[in-house]
C-alpha cells in the first residue's frame, strides 16, 4: 500500500514538473516576460533621462535670459542693438590639380 502511495506521489510530482516547464505560463514564458520587462525598464530609463534634460531646458528658457539669448544668437543669428555683426567668409579652396598645359611640346 505504501509503495502505491509513493508511486502516485512520484507520478504527480513528475506531472507537475512537466506542467511547470512546458505549459502555457510555465518557466519559459516567465523567462521571456522577465527579459521583456528588463528591456522596457531600460527604455523607460532612457526616456526619463531625456525628459529630465528637456525639463531643465524648458526651465532655463522660462527663467533664464541667457538661455533665450544664446538660442536666439545661435539658431536665428540675432544680434543686440549697438553690436556690429561681422561675417567671415572662408576663401574658396584652390584646385588641387594644376591646369594641364595646352598643346604639345615642340622640342625637336
Amino acid at each position: 500500500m505504501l509503495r502505491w502511495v509513493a508511486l502516485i506521489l512520484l507520478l504527480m510530482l513528475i506531472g507537475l514538473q512537466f506542467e511547470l516547464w512546458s505549459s502555457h505560463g510555465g518557466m519559459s514564458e516567465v523567462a521571456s516576460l522577465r527579459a521583456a520587462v528588463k528591456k522596457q525598464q531600460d527604455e523607460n530609463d532612457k526616456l526619463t533621462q531625456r525628459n529630465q534634460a528637456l525639463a531643465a531646458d524648458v526651465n532655463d528658457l522660462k527663467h533664464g535670459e541667457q538661455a533665450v539669448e544664446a538660442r536666439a544668437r545661435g539658431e536665428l543669428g540675432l544680434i543686440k542693438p549697438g553690436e556690429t555683426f561681422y561675417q567671415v567668409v572662408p576663401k574658396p579652396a584652390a584646385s588641387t590639380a594644376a591646369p594641364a598645359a595646352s598643346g604639345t611640346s615642340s622640342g625637336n
Side-chain angles (χ1 to χ4, degrees), residues 12-100:
M12 287 178 60
L13 179 65
I14 291 171
L16 288 174
Q17 285 293 317
F18 180 75
E19 286 290 318
L20 177 67
W21 290 100
S22 65
S23 69
H24 175 71
M27 293 303 289
S28 60
E29 187 173 344
V30 169
S32 66
L33 288 174
R34 284 183 179 159
V37 167
K38 174 69 173 146
K39 182 179 176 183
Q40 188 65 49
Q41 284 176 340
D42 292 342
E43 185 178 342
N44 288 350
D45 291 341
K46 282 190 248 177
L47 292 174
T48 299
Q49 290 174 353
R50 188 190 75 179
N51 286 346
Q52 289 172 348
L54 289 174
D57 196 23
V58 167
N59 191 29
D60 284 345
L61 289 173
K62 283 184 179 179
H63 302 294
E65 293 178 15
Q66 291 176 344
V68 174
E69 182 179 336
R71 276 248 165 116
R73 287 176 179 272
E75 294 177 8
L76 302 174
L78 299 180
I79 59 172
K80 287 183 179 179
E83 288 183 337
T84 305
F85 176 72
Y86 294 97
Q87 183 175 7
V88 179
V89 180
K91 292 182 182 179
S95 176
T96 57

